[in-house]
């Protein structure tokens, strides 16, 4: 299946909706960086959200997202712009944990929760704009949700 990103607008609720599938992108990152399963899942999730955030931008603005939660994966970094090109990196690609009771990947343990998500937007102005929020769980989706609640205010 081919990767894709879709966007929508709910006019009656003033709400934008984004969804994407990035399985191929994650597979390429896994192969290029020799990522172990948990590191692959963490970077794949981070790249998916970063792509959706980049799609919100205009005029080819550049965006860099950095997560460092103090976990064994170390620093994770993604950079993108509004045209869908993305690069990703993890400090330690050889990380793999699973939860004993479910056998599912323990991304939160790999990432850690003693750090921040930091987002830097370069809109071509004098200085880039940086915002951040503390990590809550190390689970990428939960932490980006918290970031959006605290740091991102979009008004259309």
């Amino acid at each position: 299946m081919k990767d894709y990103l879709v966007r929508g607008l709910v006019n009656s609720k003033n709400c934008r909706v984004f969804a994407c599938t990035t399985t191929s992108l994650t597979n390429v990152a896994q192969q290029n960086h020799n990522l172990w399963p948990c590191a692959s899942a963490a970077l794949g999730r981070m790249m998916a959200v970063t792509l959706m955030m980049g799609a919100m931008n205009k005029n080819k603005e550049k965006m860099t997202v950095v997560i460092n939660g103090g976990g064994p994966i170390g620093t994770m970094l993604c950079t993108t712009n509004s045209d869908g090109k993305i690069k990703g990196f993890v400090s330690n690609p050889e990380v793999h944990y699973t939860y004993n009771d479910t056998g599912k990947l323990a991304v939160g343990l790999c990432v850690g929760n003693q750090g921040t998500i930091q987002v830097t937007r370069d809109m071509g102005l004098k200085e880039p704009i940086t915002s951040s929020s503390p990590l809550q769980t190390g689970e990428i989706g939960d932490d980006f949700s918290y970031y959006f609640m605290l740091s991102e205010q979009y008004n259309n």
Side-chain angles (χ1 to χ4, degrees):
M1 178 184 274
K2 193 172 184 179
D3 289 350
Y4 63 90
L5 180 132
V6 294
R7 347 175 195 203
L9 181 62
V10 181
N11 287 328
S12 63
K13 301 289 183 186
N14 294 323
C15 177
R16 292 190 289 176
V17 178
F18 292 83
C20 66
T21 207
T22 57
T23 304
S24 295
L25 173 67
T26 303
N27 288 338
V28 168
Q30 186 275 326
Q31 292 169 1
N32 288 346
H33 298 290
N34 296 315
L35 300 171
W36 287 14
C38 205
S40 182
L43 184 60
R45 294 171 190 179
M46 184 178 176
M47 288 192 304
V49 176
T50 302
L51 278 171
M52 287 187 279
M53 292 173 70
M56 296 178 200
N57 292 339
K58 301 173 185 171
N59 303 324
K60 303 222 188 283
E61 298 169 9
K62 296 176 187 172
M63 176 182 296
T64 301
V65 179
V66 178
I67 296 177
N68 191 334
I73 202 168
T75 300
M76 300 170 52
L77 182 138
C78 288
T79 184
T80 190
N81 54 29
S82 59
D83 68 1
K85 293 180 182 169
I86 189 164
K87 295 178 185 178
F89 167 82
V90 298
S91 294
N92 182 8
E94 297 177 351
V95 176
H96 181 62
Y97 292 101
T98 57
Y99 292 112
N100 290 335
D101 55 342
T102 64
K104 292 186 177 183
L105 295 174
V107 172
L109 294 176
C110 293
V111 174
N113 61 6
Q114 301 301 309
T116 60
I117 291 179
Q118 182 179 18
V119 177
T120 303
R121 296 177 189 275
D122 184 351
M123 298 180 286
L125 302 174
K126 203 175 213 182
E127 295 291 325
I129 297 169
T130 301
S131 58
S132 65
S133 72
L135 295 176
Q136 300 300 296
T137 65
E139 294 290 336
I140 304 300
D142 295 344
D143 292 320
F144 270 106
S145 294
Y146 188 74
Y147 168 81
F148 280 116
M149 184 183 76
L150 288 184
S151 302
E152 295 288 320
Q153 272 76 76
Y154 287 102
N155 296 314
N156 286 343

